[in-house]
């Protein structure tokens, strides 16, 4: 007979859930404003995002209902499934704007690279947990996780989607630096990365990707072409001033100067309408959520929980950092959504799944063995 353990409910982090809901409300309101002046047929964008939220919360309830340590047994099955979906997207996927990233399921267009990020976090956490001998990882031990990262990286690079592919590198670097490394291994990795930068620039980056990097340093060089996104975004953010223009009154977004205003540049709309103070409030809420996630990682009493929680927080942090830096003109435009805020079903549901795993770790602290 099923017996519910009350300690699960007692250890549920309600503040963590409240922080998610506050960011969700801001994101839905912002999408409503960003698309309010446009005539779309069918379901409005903000309503679709609301449906994705409901779907994501449904998945979250499922994910917190079982012990997260089962992921250690499922990790390679999940990894194989993620790779299979990436191959299907590459061979049979829908082509939009010259990229082949989506699988059309009829009611929903799945972007497999989004859940693949979370699957990589689970896979690396499982590997580092099993292989850790306490003496520090050497190059030989890092060969397997490097290959596990390289395979989805190359498949996504082929789509092509450089921004998402680089996220796999960020996940690998963050989680690898978090576990104990030998000094010789660390020095070799740093040296290799430095050596690969000119090789990647000369032989792997496409001309338009090089142009985006060059535009970062001088967007006025091509204001109506490669510099258009950055210039319009900076105008929107700057015109918000201290208090903003007000809800539904952002001219850059409503007059369609700002491109991708409901996806990659959604935060530009927010900054224009709510100004510096509104942007600061959003950032405080978002980084408070990340701090709560870090607290879950640090307070977990089993090493797999620590690695898994840290990997998920790293994933969300890097996506948010790159998106906001891109909007402010500090990084090239790479097509990175802001978690919980930008429109997109695959990204949103993956983020909620990651946050649900964090809640799962928090809820089962009392069941975990001491480190």
């Amino acid at each position: 007979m099923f017996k519910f353990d009350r300690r699960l409910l007692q250890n549920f982090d309600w503040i963590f859930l409240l922080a998610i809901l506050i960011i969700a409300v801001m994101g839905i309101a912002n999408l409503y404003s960003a698309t309010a002046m446009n005539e779309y047929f069918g379901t409005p964008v903000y309503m679709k995002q609301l449906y994705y939220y409901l779907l994501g919360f449904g998945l979250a309830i499922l994910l917190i209902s079982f012990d997260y340590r089962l992921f250690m047994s499922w990790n390679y099955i999940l990894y194989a499934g993620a790779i299979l979906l990436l191959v299907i997207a590459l061979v049979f996927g829908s082509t939009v704007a010259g990229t082949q990233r989506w699988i059309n399921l009829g009611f929903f267009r799945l972007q497999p690279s989004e859940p693949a990020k979370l699957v990589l976090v689970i896979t690396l956490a499982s590997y580092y947990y099993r292989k850790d001998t306490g003496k520090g990882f050497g190059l030989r031990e890092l060969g397997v996780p490097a290959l596990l990262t390289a395979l989805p990286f190359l498949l996504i690079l082929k789509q092509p989607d450089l921004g998402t592919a680089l996220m796999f590198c960020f996940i690998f670097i963050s989680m690898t630096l978090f576990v104990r490394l030998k000094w010789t291994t660390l020095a070799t990795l740093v040296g290799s990365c430095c050596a690969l930068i000119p090789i990647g620039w000369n032989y792997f980056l496409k001309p338009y990707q090089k142009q985006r990097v060059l535009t970062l340093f001088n967007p006025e060089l091509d204001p109506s072409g490669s510099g258009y996104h950055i210039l319009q975004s900076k105008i929107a953010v700057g015109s918000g001033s201290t208090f903003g223009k007000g809800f539904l009154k952002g001219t850059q977004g409503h007059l369609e100067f700002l491109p991708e205003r409901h996806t990659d540049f959604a935060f530009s709309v927010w900054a224009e309408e709510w100004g510096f103070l509104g942007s600061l409030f959003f950032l405080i809420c978002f980084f408070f959520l990340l701090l709560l996630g870090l607290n879950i990682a640090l307070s977990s009493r089993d090493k797999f929980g620590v690695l898994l929680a840290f990997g998920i927080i790293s994933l969300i942090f890097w996506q948010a950092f790159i998106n906001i830096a891109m909007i402010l003109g500090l990084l090239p435009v790479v097509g990175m959504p802001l978690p919980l805020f930008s429109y997109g079903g695959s990204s949103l549901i993956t983020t909620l799944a990651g946050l649900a795993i964090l809640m799962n770790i928090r809820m089962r602290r009392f069941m975990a063995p001491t480190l």
Side-chain angles (χ1 to χ4, degrees):
M1 183 178 176
F2 176 76
K3 185 179 179 181
F4 179 74
D5 193 330
R6 290 186 178 179
R7 290 177 295 179
L8 290 173
L9 200 57
Q10 290 170 354
N11 284 276
F12 187 84
D13 197 333
W14 296 100
I15 297 177
F16 191 71
L17 177 62
L18 180 63
I20 295 171
L21 292 175
I22 290 173
I23 296 171
V25 170
M26 286 191 280
I28 295 290
N30 190 62
L31 282 181
Y32 177 81
S33 176
T35 57
M37 300 298 289
N38 302 99
E39 294 293 336
Y40 290 107
F41 294 102
T43 309
V45 169
Y46 73 94
M47 283 301 297
K48 289 182 182 176
Q49 187 81 338
L50 192 57
Y51 295 150
Y52 294 143
Y53 260 108
L54 294 176
L55 191 60
F57 279 122
L59 177 62
I61 292 172
L62 178 66
L63 285 173
I64 63 175
S65 64
F66 60 84
D67 194 327
Y68 65 91
R69 282 165 291 193
L70 287 173
F71 282 123
M72 279 192 289
S73 305
W74 300 346
N75 70 303
Y76 286 121
I77 297 173
L78 292 170
Y79 183 83
I83 295 298
L84 179 63
L85 288 174
L86 287 173
V87 172
I88 291 174
L90 202 56
V91 177
F92 304 106
S94 308
T95 301
V96 178
T99 62
Q100 199 159 347
R101 308 175 185 174
W102 295 272
I103 299 174
N104 194 346
L105 301 177
F107 66 99
F108 177 65
R109 283 200 314 166
L110 174 67
Q111 187 176 353
S113 55
E114 291 295 333
K117 297 175 193 170
L118 185 58
V119 170
L120 181 66
V121 169
I122 295 170
T123 304
L124 292 181
S126 303
Y127 178 84
Y128 287 136
Y129 174 75
R130 290 194 189 102
K131 295 295 180 182
D132 189 10
T133 61
K135 298 179 181 178
F137 284 86
L139 283 177
R140 182 178 297 178
E141 290 85 5
L142 293 181
V144 172
L147 286 174
L148 290 169
T149 306
L151 183 54
F153 171 83
L154 293 173
L155 287 171
I156 294 167
L157 200 62
K158 186 73 177 171
Q159 290 178 350
D161 187 356
L162 178 63
T164 304
L166 286 176
M167 273 307 303
F168 286 76
C169 297
F170 281 110
I171 294 169
F172 172 72
I173 292 171
S174 299
M175 294 188 70
T176 301
L177 290 178
F178 186 70
V179 297
R180 187 179 175 186
L181 290 180
K182 294 176 180 174
W183 281 107
T184 52
T185 306
L186 182 60
T188 305
L189 288 176
V190 172
S192 301
C193 289
C194 293
L196 287 173
I197 290 174
I199 297 174
W201 176 268
N202 289 319
Y203 298 104
F204 289 97
L205 285 186
K206 297 180 184 297
Y208 78 90
Q209 291 168 336
K210 291 181 181 179
Q211 186 61 41
R212 285 183 179 180
V213 177
L214 295 174
T215 300
L216 173 68
F217 300 104
N218 189 8
E220 289 80 9
L221 189 66
D222 187 12
S224 59
S226 57
Y228 184 77
H229 288 66
I230 289 180
L231 287 173
Q232 293 302 322
S233 176
K234 290 167 77 172
I235 291 170
V237 173
S239 64
S241 193
T242 304
F243 300 103
K245 296 176 180 175
F247 186 56
L248 296 172
K249 296 179 181 176
T251 52
Q252 288 299 114
H254 292 168
L255 297 179
E256 301 191 6
F257 289 111
L258 185 65
E260 309 295 341
R261 55 191 172 279
H262 62 296
T263 52
D264 298 340
F265 289 87
F267 188 70
S268 303
V269 176
W270 179 268
E272 183 183 20
E273 296 191 349
W274 297 92
F276 173 77
L277 292 179
S279 301
L280 185 64
F281 177 73
F282 172 83
L283 291 176
I284 289 172
C285 292
F286 200 92
F287 285 100
F288 179 64
L289 180 72
L290 293 180
L291 286 176
L292 290 175
L294 272 181
N295 182 54
I296 291 173
L298 296 175
S299 61
S300 176
R301 291 194 293 174
D302 77 296
K303 192 160 188 174
F304 178 66
V306 173
L307 290 168
L308 187 57
F310 179 79
I312 292 169
I313 289 301
S314 299
L315 169 62
I316 297 173
F317 167 78
W318 282 118
Q319 290 188 125
F321 176 81
I322 293 172
N323 178 275
I324 293 173
M326 179 184 77
I327 281 170
L328 297 177
L330 301 176
L331 284 177
V333 176
V334 291
M336 184 68 65
L338 182 57
L340 298 177
F341 201 75
S342 296
Y343 172 73
S346 300
S347 171
L348 178 60
I349 293 171
T350 300
T351 303
L352 289 173
L355 294 172
I357 294 173
L358 287 176
M359 291 186 200
N360 192 326
I361 296 170
R362 177 71 173 178
M363 289 168 65
R364 287 171 173 79
R365 277 191 71 236
F366 66 92
M367 298 169 67
T370 305
L371 280 171

